[in-house]
Every structure is written in C-alpha cells, then in structure tokens.
Amino acid sequence: SSVLAQPHAIVSSINTRPNRSSAQTCADVCSMWALLRLGALVTLLEAASALSISRTAVGEKRGFEGTQGRGLQLGAQDAPRSELQHLVSLLLLARKECPKATEACLPALSELRLAVWPHVQAEANCSFPAWMPSEHLEKVSEEDSQGGGVSGTRSMFYRHVFKAAGINTWANLHQVTRDFYRAPYAATCKHFHLVDATRRTAFAFVRDPISRFISGYSELEYRSRAAIGWPKLENLSQALQGHPVGSPERAAAFFIEFLQSGIENNGHVRPQIEFFLPVGGCSIPMDFIGRTEHLPDDWVKMFALQNETVPPFDNALATHYHDDRDKKGMESFLGVARADSTDASAPHTGSRYLRALCWLFLADFAVFQYEIPNECQQEPMKSVLALV
C-alpha cells in the first residue's frame, strides 16, 4: 500500500509556470513514480494468479461481425508485464513530447498505434492492418485552418484541433485581438518563429475523444451529402450507399471504413494528438491546452496567465454544419447513452466497438487526461491509464 500511495512526500506542489529545470525535474520524478507504481501493481497481479497469455485468434474475415457478436475481452491477467510497461512508457513519452511538438512525438505515436491495434482488432473483430499517425491531416496544411492575432503585447497562435469548438474559438479570438488572421500551417509556423518567445502564446482546445468522434462523423456525413466545403469522399460515399441516413447501419458502415482507412487522413475523426505533430519540420509547441467542456473558464485562465482580462467566451458567436440524425445513429451504434435519452434500459450492444475506439484514442485520453467511458473501464486499459 505504501508503494502505491501518491508521492506527496516527493512532489508537494507544481508551479503553474515553473522554470525549465523545475519542470524537467518534476516530469522525471512523475515518470519514475508511475513506473514504480506500475511494477508494484503488476507484482500484485502476478502474486494473485499466474499470468495467462492465451488469446483468441482474430478471424481472417475482413470487416467485423454484427452487433450481436461478442468482442474479445483482454483482462489484466491476459496482458503480460512487458505489455503494460510498454504502453505506459509510450503514453508517458507522448504526454511529454507531443504538446511540445517535438520530433519524438510521431515515433512514439506510431509505436503506440502498433501496440494498441491488436486490441482494436479484437474488440471490433476485424483484421484490417493499422493505419499510422500522420502530420499530413487532410484540411490542415492546405487551408486557412491556423492563425491568430495580437492581444495586448503578445502574439496569439491558435492551433486549431478540428471538432473542438474551432469555429467559435475563431470568432471569439477575432473579437479580442487585433491584426487577426487565418493562414495555412506553414505560414503560421513561420510567423510563430519570427516572434520573440517572451512575446507569444500558442494555445489549443481539445474535446472528449468519443464525443468529438461522433461530432466529426456527423459533420463528414452532412458535408458529404450537401457537397459543402470539400470534394466528395468517394470511398466513404460508396461505403455508405444504400444505408438510410441517421441509421445505426449507416454508422456501422462508416465505422468499418474508419478502421480500414482512417477516412483518408481526414482530421475531423483522427486522434486529436496528431494535430500537435510538427508539420514539414516546423513545430509550434503549446503554452496552453484547454478543454471545450469548460471552455469559458479556460478562456479566462489562458489570458490571465499573461496578465490580461478579456470579455467572457461567447458560445453563440458561430455555429457549424451538422445533422442530429447522424449523431443519434452513431450513438446508437456505439451504445452511447444520450444526455436527453429517456430510455434507461436501452441495450448497449455496441459497447465493444466503443472499446475499440477507446483503444484507438488511448493517447487522447492519457495526454489530455479525459476519463474513459464506463464501457471501457476494463483491464488492461483501466490500469494503464490509471498509472499514466
């Protein structure tokens, strides 16, 4: 019990703006403590019972079974010690390197993708090969999706993570800054490095990974049908053809295409952590990453860190394309209960597909410290995230 206790005696507090050496020391101590806790936990598991590493073979059939099937559940007793340690070390590395947009981020995410993919395949009962993280997310480099403005004496650089209140953030940023602009990533990054480090702030907002995926699906569906803003996604359109709009069956077809291709690198459904990768060798390290779930508070907090006061965040400044039928269809397929649902007894037949998503978005949950859904609170995922 003493080994698993929190290290209050080692780290009593963390400054909100520590100097570099203090931050590095804290990161090293926390990483070391996490690994110590990992070793203690695994030792307890081994003492309780011998590790059984038998796994059900994944079928050769491409695609996955219907919602009445049962996904393979990998418990803590099924995960060897080395796998737990490997996952924890990769997530800790991603948490350290990716918000700083270092070159070490992509190799860490790539190795992590290969490590979690067998769990994705097992839960979804599919045999698709893993598609890898990429700095070249569709609609990021080519369009005016990045940019910022000047607030007080500081240049603000907004790293736009799609489906994380981006349109509203743009509108609010336009209200509180001067010399507001939007530009492709390359131009924004070049501008960033021309500004003195003491006179600039780089920031982003992120969102609950599952909620964001559902919203991303809804926007892709709506834009594709209405031909708004980009060319039609041919492979996706063919995959969805013949399935009623808003149906769980149509959502399932999208999910299959997502596991197979990643929807052609489309940033609306790819993991959020990939948005922090350097692009073309140019990095924009983050000074502040907030959450959309408490965006008004984080908006004020971000400007307060640079001793500025701005008007409250206005959620009503902008709206986005969507069709609520699509959201309901994906929620039904995944087995996600809606906040406005009156049917508490609705079956969650899609929980194993939700668990597949949790594995795929594991870095988002770990780095941005979101709680995984109840359906994903299983071993070894639960223990890995608790240790991280």
Side-chain angles (χ1 to χ4, degrees), residues 10-143:
I10 296 181
V11 181
S12 58
S13 65
I14 300 176
N15 229 333
T16 56
R17 302 198 72 164
N19 60 47
R20 184 174 180 85
S21 60
S22 297
Q24 185 61 52
T25 300
C26 180
D28 292 342
V29 169
C30 291
S31 298
M32 177 184 71
W33 195 263
L35 292 175
L36 285 173
R37 292 179 64 205
L38 172 64
L41 175 62
V42 176
T43 299
L44 291 174
L45 292 173
E46 290 175 333
S49 63
L51 292 176
S52 171
I53 316 175
S54 60
R55 297 172 184 257
T56 302
V58 177
E60 292 300 321
K61 180 182 177 182
R62 299 181 68 82
F64 55 83
E65 303 297 330
T67 55
Q68 299 302 317
R70 180 178 178 82
L72 174 64
Q73 296 182 2
L74 300 176
Q77 70 275 13
D78 299 310
R81 176 177 182 147
S82 59
E83 182 189 9
L84 288 174
Q85 290 176 322
H86 188 51
L87 288 171
V88 169
S89 64
L90 288 174
L91 289 170
L92 288 174
L93 183 60
R95 176 183 286 181
K96 176 184 176 184
E97 302 295 339
C98 295
K100 296 188 296 184
T102 70
E103 294 295 336
C105 178
L106 181 57
L109 294 182
S110 298
E111 191 170 350
L112 179 64
R113 179 66 50 79
L114 294 176
V116 303
W117 200 257
H119 296 279
V120 175
Q121 291 176 314
E123 292 292 2
N125 195 19
C126 72
S127 57
F128 301 131
W131 40 266
M132 302 306 290
S134 172
E135 65 183 65
H136 300 292
L137 294 181
E138 193 266 346
K139 313 303 280 187
V140 171
S141 300
E142 298 83 359
E143 292 198 347

Side-chain angles (χ1 to χ4, degrees), residues 340-356:
D340 59 358
S341 175
T342 57
D343 184 8
S345 62
H348 294 267
T349 54
S351 294
R352 61 193 182 96
Y353 307 129
L354 182 59
R355 288 194 293 273

Side-chain angles (χ1 to χ4, degrees), residues 17 23 74 82 124 181 209 213 218 220 236 257 285 292 350 354 388:
R17 302 198 72 164
L74 300 176
S82 59
Y181 68 95
F213 175 80
S218 177
L220 284 175
L236 179 61
E257 183 63 28
T292 62
L354 182 59
V388 172

